[in-house]
Structures are given as C-alpha cells and as structure tokens.
Amino acid sequence: MRIDIISAAPDLLESPFNHSIVKRAKEKGLAKIVIHDLRTFGLGNYKQIDDTQFGGGAGMVLMIEPISKCIEVLKAERVYDEIIYMTPDAKTLKQSTANTLSLQKNIIILTGHYKGVDQRVRDKYITKEISIGDYVLTGGELAAAVLVDSIVRLIPGVIGDETSALTDSFQDNLLSPPVYTRPSTYEGMKVPEVLLSGNFPKIDEWRSEKAYERTQQIRPDLLDENM
Ligand code: ADE
C-alpha cells in the first residue's frame, strides 16, 4: 500500500513513521509512506501557501493552487483510491473506516493547518473527510499519524501475530476484555481462575462476557451501534 501525505508542517510527521509498527511495515515493503512538503508547491519567491480569509476573520487559510499542483503531480503518476482530508469538521474515525482503507492500494492524505483549506479544495479533490475526535488540534499532522497507524497495522503481515489485529477492541464494536500476565498472584490480587484453567471454550466465553460488561459500563453507545 502507498500513502502520500501532503503537509505544511512535514517535520511533525518524521517521528511517528520512523518507529514501531509503521517502521516495520515500511521495512518489509508492505507500506510506502511518502511525505510532501506543501511549501515546495508554494507561490512566488516566498513560496506562499496560505492567505487571509475572504469576508474577514482571524486565521490563515491554505490556498488552492499549491495543493492543486501537488495533487495533480501525484494523480499523473498513479490512480488514487481515496483523497482524504483530515479536519475536525467531519465524521469521526472508526475501526470500520480503518478496515476499509487498509484494503486500498494508493491513498492521499491532506492535512490542514491554521484555519483549514479553501473550500474549493474539498469540493474538487477530496473523496473522504475524517476527524479523529471532537477536539481541535493545531494541524492535521497528528491526526494523519493516528489514521496511518490505524490502517497500516491491519495490512496482513505487518503485525507478527496474525489474529491479534482482528481481536482488538472495536473490531466487533466491543471493548477488549481485561488481560493478565505473570505473576498469577500479585500482593494478594489473583488472576481469574478460568484463565489458568486451560479450558479454551470457557476462556472464550469469559472473555466475551467481560468484553460485553466493560462496553456496557464504559461505552454503552457502542452497543446501540450493533443493533
Ligand atoms: N485537524 C485539527 N483537529 C483535527 C481533528 N480533531 N481531527 C482531524 N484533523 C484535525
């Protein structure tokens, strides 16, 4: 899978993609992540990429020309399945979105900054808009890093334990059940007996029950989504 990210602050993306699972996916050739500095496509000697908004108001808006130039260069090289814009004024990222995107071949992610992008960029190019939650970040870079991580870990072969990504929280709209490791007793706190029993059908049943209980307590809204 290839992911092109267009950003006005590309330095912010260095670290997240050079560690852990995303790094491993890149090294194994399962994911290629290419970061494009929007300023390279800026206008004039000053490589301008933003301007004040028409109608007045605080904050700068990313201009359409530099973004358009960058997207057109990429589109001339390959076909993209999605062109995604990270923005707080969009539907929230869900596990199902990450699942679907992990099956794509080429995607572009555009990150906003300042007051966002000229609406005409969204009208002309964007096929999907994603927010990572109901709060406002300084820019879309960290949001893009979250999205990429959620996608890349689902690509077959990226995580060593093949079944583990599919048994995560949210894969069936349930939170994960509690997990334990050694020691089996710590300061009098015991690991539930069933987990030590070796009876795997019983263990599965216990985990399902706990997942349901936890979801009901913490995120009952997820149970409504199952109906
Ligand atoms: N850019 C700024 N805030 C954001 C958010 N919550 N989600 C996605 N992109 C953003």
Side-chain angles (χ1 to χ4, degrees):
M1 177 178 197
R2 178 179 166 121
I3 304 175
D4 289 274
I5 305 176
I6 306 171
S7 164
D11 292 352
L12 275 174
L13 293 165
E14 282 299 316
S15 176
F17 300 142
N18 286 317
H19 291 99
S20 73
I21 281 170
V22 178
K23 182 180 179 201
R24 200 174 341 143
K26 289 197 315 188
E27 283 169 358
K28 285 186 178 173
L30 296 168
K32 186 171 167 102
I33 298 166
V34 187
I35 296 164
H36 306 274
D37 184 352
L38 189 58
R39 201 158 288 278
T40 319
F41 299 88
L43 308 183
N45 288 343
Y46 292 103
K47 297 284 171 198
Q48 186 184 359
I49 56 171
D50 58 3
D51 210 335
T52 51
Q53 50 178 318
F54 282 127
M60 302 294 273
V61 176
L62 290 174
M63 303 161 87
I64 189 166
E65 288 108 317
I67 296 172
S68 170
K69 275 200 255 173
C70 183
I71 292 179
E72 293 296 347
V73 166
L74 292 173
K75 280 179 39 167
E77 288 166 359
R78 66 195 64 75
V79 174
Y80 285 92
D81 303 300
E82 297 279 8
I83 305 183
I84 300 165
Y85 175 50
M86 302 309 299
T87 176
D89 51 1
K91 287 227 169 89
T92 317
L93 175 62
K94 294 263 190 303
Q95 186 61 49
S96 54
T97 318
N99 292 350
T100 310
L101 290 173
S102 74
L103 302 172
Q104 308 292 17
K105 196 156 175 274
N106 301 311
I107 63 173
I108 294 176
I109 303 176
L110 171 66
T111 62
H113 234 249
Y114 320 110
K115 206 73 191 163
V117 300
D118 188 305
Q119 179 60 37
R120 289 165 293 185
V121 172
R122 298 166 78 162
D123 297 342
K124 183 165 165 105
Y125 292 111
I126 301 302
T127 60
K128 196 183 252 321
E129 301 190 330
I130 298 178
S131 163
I132 62 160
D134 292 338
Y135 41 81
V136 180
L137 303 166
T138 322
E141 284 75 14
L142 296 179
V146 168
L147 175 64
V148 169
D149 191 290
S150 76
I151 295 170
V152 167
R153 61 192 298 283
L154 296 170
I155 299 172
V158 169
I159 293 187
D161 175 358
E162 292 302 328
T163 58
S164 116
L166 292 173
T167 56
D168 288 335
S169 275
F170 300 113
Q171 277 299 3
D172 42 15
N173 267 358
L174 291 176
L175 303 185
S176 288
V179 293
Y180 298 86
T181 185
R182 271 181 281 274
S184 59
T185 304
Y186 176 73
E187 293 186 352
M189 299 162 80
K190 287 197 163 75
V191 170
E193 204 66 50
V194 62
L195 297 178
L196 310 172
S197 69
N199 182 339
F200 293 104
K202 267 253 165 297
I203 292 173
D204 282 348
E205 197 183 314
W206 181 88
R207 285 183 171 149
S208 300
E209 266 172 39
K210 291 292 167 193
Y212 187 82
E213 265 174 43
R214 203 176 241 190
T215 311
Q216 201 160 40
Q217 270 171 15
I218 304 170
R219 293 288 308 274
D221 54 302
L222 291 174
L223 297 174
D224 296 340
E225 284 178 30
N226 278 340
M227 300 214 272

